[in-house]
């Protein structure tokens, strides 16, 4: 299901990602959730939600990286 605000994100995402990264995650998730609504658009039998989470993480990783302190920092 799409997320309306960052506070709707799963707790683990809110705990580890900075606010800006949460926004990126939310927007990418919502976009992918809409884009991959038909099962024929998804590979490997993944659910719509699984694909959307993968896309969202990919979007975050384009802008952020995990530092030696195990926190996410902008590149």
């Amino acid at each position: 299901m799409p997320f309306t605000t960052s506070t709707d994100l799963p707790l683990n995402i809110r705990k580890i990602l900075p606010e800006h990264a949460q926004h990126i995650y939310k927007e990418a998730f919502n976009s992918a959730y809409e884009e991959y609504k038909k099962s024929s658009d998804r590979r490997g039998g993944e659910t719509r939600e699984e694909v959307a989470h993968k896309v969202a993480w990919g979007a975050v990783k384009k802008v952020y990286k995990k530092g030696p302190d195990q926190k996410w920092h902008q590149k």
Side-chain angles (χ1 to χ4, degrees), residues 8 10 18 27 29 34 42 48 54 66:
D8 296 332
E27 294 300 317
F29 180 95
E34 181 61 29
R42 301 187 298 264
R48 188 176 177 186
K54 286 181 179 184
K66 200 175 210 181

Side-chain angles (χ1 to χ4, degrees), residues 1-17 22 25-26 29-30 49 52-53 56-57:
M1 98 186 127
F3 300 109
T4 307
T5 66
S6 294
T7 57
D8 296 332
L9 291 171
L11 182 59
N12 63 324
I13 300 297
R14 288 182 309 191
K15 281 186 170 185
I16 63 171
L17 292 179
Q22 290 178 34
Y25 191 99
K26 178 180 71 71
F29 180 95
N30 290 347
E49 194 167 287
H53 280 295
W57 270 117

Side-chain angles (χ1 to χ4, degrees), residues 26-68:
K26 178 180 71 71
E27 294 300 317
F29 180 95
N30 290 347
S31 178
Y33 193 82
E34 181 61 29
E35 183 176 345
Y36 295 103
K37 62 182 159 188
K38 292 192 287 183
S39 61
S40 61
D41 293 337
R42 301 187 298 264
R43 294 183 280 178
E46 293 178 316
T47 68
R48 188 176 177 186
E49 194 167 287
E50 287 171 326
V51 171
H53 280 295
K54 286 181 179 184
V55 169
W57 270 117
V60 168
K61 290 177 180 179
K62 286 183 180 182
V63 181
Y64 284 82
K65 66 179 179 178
K66 200 175 210 181

